Amino acid sequence: MTVEFSPGVLRVDGAPRVLLCASVFPFRIPGDRWAERLRQVADLGYTAVDVYLPWNHHETEPGRWDFTGERDVDGFLRLCAEAGLLVVARPGPYICSEWDGGGLPAWLSTIPGLELRQNEPTYLAEVRRWFDRVMPVLARHQTSRGGAVAMVQLENELDFFDCRDPQGYLARLRDSALAHGIDVPLVVCAGQGDVERAGEVDGVVPAVNLYPSDESTSVEDQAAHYEAALRGRGLPLLVTETNRMHRTLKRLLVSGVRLLGPYLQTSGWNDGWATSVNNWGDPLAFMTHDYDFGGLIAPDGSVRPDAVEARRLAGVVAALGERLAAGVPTTAVSGVAHEPAVAPRALDLDGGGQLIALTNLGADPEPVAITGAGRRVKLAVPGGRCLLLVRGLPLPSVGAELSLCTEELTALAETEGAARLEITTAGRAVALLTTTAVRSTTATGDLDVVVTEGAPRPGVRIAGQDGEARVETDAGVLLVRFRPEPRPEPPAHPEATAPWPSRRRPPRSNRCRGGSAKPTAGPPRSNTSAPTAARAATAPSPRCPRARWGWCCARRPTSCRCAARRRTRRGSPAAASTRGCPRAAAATSPSSPAPGGTRTSTTLGCRRCGWARPAGSPGSSRSPRSGRCRTAGGWSAATWPSARPRSRWAASAAG
């Protein structure tokens, strides 16, 4: 397999291709989950993965190398090939990726005279030792040798760094890679668009890391600038990193991007001392244990609801294939009447037709009227969505043309005398066809098929949401399938699939982060079973499925102090039962009178350790913060230890 570049086109084995590339980092995912994650990426329609290789993950101390077990690069690349995924390998030597030292071993700074990331002999000698180990592994797995490695990236966003001689530095890295047998394209990425400072040299293809605001109205203009500049150099636009939102990815696609690499679609973990200080935000801070920016796949392997949009985008790319990959972006979008909130852009497909992107950055649906083959169709672009619509697409195998479609074409197969189209619908859609003489039409589901006589050829209008239409013409048979968009399945653990900020911050008020989510009945989460049944029986409110902390109440979980406790600490704890907090689930205190004037006895206990005693029984007089629950001094289940108690207290629960 060969990978080649020409003006505006990326070719794989001579055929134009658009590569959807997801980040998968084996050093952040357990080794026994590598195959599963790669399968998930392939199932979502992505065709490539980018893989960072941190130097300090493999040279654990000076001269001690480890490429086994969880560090088995060779095994990981083999799994990529088995999954049918191409690889953009990124061995650095500097990788960033919010990893300790950006992958550079810490001891480099102790070597006298060494200057990091400079065209300097001492540093380059150390880099050569790393390349001597990693480059032969990559060379064995190149596409030219039947493997998965299609490109190798040198360095990372060097234009962010004060490198005195970027061209000289990159030339030395290039020569070292070539000396180890790397014959696939070498690329270098610019972090802020400064291709020259990123190290543009002969034999190394410049790429761009493009992070526009998802709400920006100029995403296409930014991409168009780089596309034109690289086309003038005889190259396609490769975006090695960009945002994860598929609305933005669609906008980049119609702008002529050939390698589309959202960072980070496959999340993982930073283990040990590998995490670094981030370089954005206020204040700067250490990254969390989980490395998760809300991409498609959560650290635990859960696939998030945006997978529906991912499959739509991948379907459009696969359906249009080479026509899209060799297409040319254009600003001429005629026959589209729209509101100011909708921004139409188009790409002229190779061989005829257009792919039109209708982007609605607002929250409300916006009306659009679009004309195809002299016929005008009205539709509404949903709020916050981008629709990729095909217009004037030739279907030579059946002598027809897809004049217009108001939903996205996600599958297309043509053979001699037959063609099959699949359109993914979110509501009622319309497809307009122009063809030769129509012999017969049939339809299933809720589809309506209307044949209109016209000059020079008749037209066929298919409308509906779910079903299949069969149109037989003089030239062949055309099948058009309308398939409703699948609803995203609710995750088994909602908190695991939420973007990472909402999983870090506790609720600040008596409304959970789920807002108006419909509550569902169920017991609170607990590590023990004995107190759980009693708390579930007296639980004053149902559990909210979207609340990270389990229950709708005013408590602040990180402080282990619920609102019920704050209100009753100096008074009777009986009122705690009205707050709906699992920490106050003992519905009454020992001193609370039951109906009828008699006192009742209730079980008080510790949710953390499972320890529980009847009210009034002898117990410890120590405060809950010491690891025990106080029963004699008026403390109730509304107060719990702030740290997990020692195991001997957990053992006392059985007694």
Side-chain angles (χ1 to χ4, degrees):
M1 184 184 294
T2 61
V3 179
E4 301 169 320
F5 302 130
S6 61
V9 181
L10 183 158
R11 299 180 185 273
V12 178
D13 275 346
R17 288 279 301 274
V18 171
L19 297 181
L20 295 180
C21 183
S23 305
V24 181
F25 302 147
F27 52 93
R28 288 189 167 111
I29 302 170
D32 59 355
R33 294 289 181 266
W34 290 349
E36 176 189 348
R37 294 294 188 276
L38 293 171
R39 176 186 56 78
Q40 289 175 309
V41 168
D43 288 347
L44 291 169
Y46 279 70
T47 51
V49 293
D50 75 87
V51 181
Y52 275 133
L53 300 171
W55 176 359
N56 57 9
H57 185 62
H58 296 281
E59 189 175 15
T60 54
E61 57 186 69
R64 182 175 179 178
W65 299 92
D66 189 354
F67 285 87
T68 63
E70 303 284 327
R71 296 173 169 83
D72 185 6
V73 177
D74 193 85
F76 180 80
L77 295 177
R78 237 183 349 259
L79 292 174
C80 292
E82 292 173 4
L85 295 167
L86 298 177
V87 174
V88 179
R90 310 171 83 179
Y94 176 82
I95 67 168
C96 187
S97 191
E98 295 71 56
W99 184 261
D100 182 44
L104 297 176
W107 64 81
L108 292 180
S109 60
T110 67
I111 299 177
L114 185 146
E115 296 180 80
L116 296 174
R117 305 178 73 188
Q118 300 288 352
N119 186 19
E120 182 270 312
T122 307
Y123 172 67
L124 290 172
E126 293 296 317
V127 172
R128 193 175 304 113
R129 293 192 310 105
W130 163 235
F131 277 16
D132 288 344
R133 297 283 180 166
V134 72
M135 287 298 179
V137 178
L138 300 180
R140 287 197 299 272
H141 291 275
Q142 294 177 107
T143 52
S144 58
R145 304 183 189 181
V149 177
M151 302 177 214
V152 174
Q153 178 184 302
L154 302 175
E155 254 289 338
N156 191 79
E157 298 180 334
L158 189 62
D159 53 331
F160 276 126
F161 188 75
D162 188 17
C163 180
R164 295 187 297 273
D165 181 13
Q167 284 74 29
Y169 174 42
L170 261 295
R172 297 291 294 273
L173 297 182
R174 175 203 61 196
D175 295 344
S176 181
L178 295 176
H180 287 93
I182 300 298
D183 54 22
V184 296
L186 298 172
V187 300
V188 59
C189 68
Q192 55 185 356
D194 192 339
V195 173
E196 183 178 353
R197 282 205 53 79
E200 184 181 14
V201 295
D202 291 340
V204 180
V205 177
V208 177
N209 290 358
L210 186 60
Y211 285 103
S213 167
D214 288 320
E215 307 303 322
S216 172
T217 59
S218 61
V219 170
E220 296 86 352
D221 294 332
Q222 295 180 50
H225 168 78
Y226 294 115
E227 199 277 340
L230 291 169
R231 185 181 287 270
R233 291 174 166 87
L235 297 169
L237 173 56
L238 309 178
V239 176
T240 40
E241 292 182 22
T242 189
N243 303 0
R244 293 158 294 282
M245 181 181 286
H246 284 85
R247 182 184 71 194
T248 301
L249 298 180
K250 290 178 178 179
R251 299 172 69 186
L252 293 174
L253 180 67
V254 297
S255 302
V257 176
R258 304 310 187 202
L259 172 70
L260 200 52
Y263 186 101
L264 162 86
Q265 293 292 38
T266 309
S267 308
W269 293 275
N270 289 320
D271 292 323
W273 300 100
T275 187
S276 70
V277 175
N278 65 11
N279 61 350
W280 67 88
D282 184 18
L284 299 182
F286 281 100
M287 298 294 291
T288 55
H289 169 65
D290 63 334
Y291 190 67
D292 182 12
F293 299 128
L296 283 175
I297 303 174
D300 66 351
S302 302
V303 178
R304 290 179 168 138
D306 199 37
V308 172
E309 285 295 312
R311 292 190 177 97
R312 267 185 173 250
L313 173 61
V316 172
V317 171
L320 297 178
E322 296 181 17
R323 311 183 202 202
L324 172 65
V328 179
T330 179
T331 56
V333 187
S334 60
V336 179
H338 59 91
E339 297 294 329
V342 176
R345 292 297 180 107
L347 181 140
D348 290 335
L349 299 172
D350 187 44
Q354 274 191 332
L355 180 65
I356 301 175
L358 300 178
T359 303
N360 180 5
L361 297 178
D364 300 321
E366 293 290 345
V368 172
I370 184 168
T371 303
R375 289 171 285 181
R376 183 169 179 164
V377 177
K378 295 181 180 180
L379 68 145
V381 181
R385 294 279 298 273
C386 175
L387 293 181
L388 297 179
L389 307 184
V390 172
R391 182 171 65 178
L393 180 69
L395 302 171
S397 62
V398 291
E401 176 188 276
L402 179 58
S403 303
L404 183 63
C405 183
T406 63
E407 280 283 5
E408 292 173 337
L409 177 68
T410 52
L412 171 61
E414 287 189 86
T415 58
E416 185 64 31
R420 180 181 177 86
L421 287 68
E422 185 171 300
I423 298 166
T424 300
T425 63
R428 187 171 176 83
V430 175
L432 301 180
L433 301 169
T434 303
T435 182
T436 57
V438 178
R439 291 184 176 180
S440 65
T441 63
T442 57
T444 63
D446 66 353
L447 299 189
D448 297 324
V449 180
V450 178
V451 179
T452 58
E453 296 297 332
R457 297 193 297 174
V460 180
R461 184 181 189 274
I462 306 172
Q465 182 175 3
D466 187 7
E468 184 171 276
R470 184 179 188 273
V471 180
E472 185 176 352
T473 70
D474 290 341
V477 176
L478 177 63
L479 298 177
V480 182
R481 177 77 169 95
F482 282 34
R483 186 183 300 277
E485 179 179 82
R487 293 176 178 267
E489 296 183 2
H493 305 289
E495 68 276 7
T497 60
W500 67 267
S502 64
R503 301 209 314 275
R504 284 280 167 258
R505 302 168 187 165
R508 298 295 184 184
S509 68
N510 62 354
R511 292 182 61 84
C512 70
R513 287 189 174 270
S516 59
K518 183 179 179 180
T520 59
R525 292 180 295 179
S526 175
N527 293 329
T528 60
S529 59
T532 299
R535 286 197 303 276
T538 59
S541 65
R543 182 176 178 180
C544 172
R546 292 179 63 184
R548 169 66 179 93
W549 303 103
W551 290 73
C552 296
C553 65
R555 60 195 171 108
R556 295 184 60 160
T558 54
S559 66
C560 289
R561 295 169 181 262
C562 65
R565 173 183 169 181
R566 291 199 297 271
R567 291 182 61 178
T568 62
R569 184 171 183 178
R570 291 182 176 83
S572 168
S577 63
T578 65
R579 294 297 298 170
C581 176
R583 301 189 177 188
T588 59
S589 72
S591 59
S592 302
T598 60
R599 295 183 181 275
T600 184
S601 177
T602 187
T603 298
L604 307 176
C606 177
R607 179 186 180 192
R608 295 284 182 92
C609 65
W611 175 87
R613 293 183 184 277
S617 62
S620 168
S621 61
R622 297 171 66 186
S623 72
R625 285 188 171 276
S626 66
R628 307 185 192 181
C629 295
R630 179 181 292 195
T631 59
W635 294 91
S636 74
T639 305
W640 303 98
S642 59
R644 187 179 295 278
R646 294 187 177 93
S647 60
R648 59 194 179 106
W649 299 119
S652 69

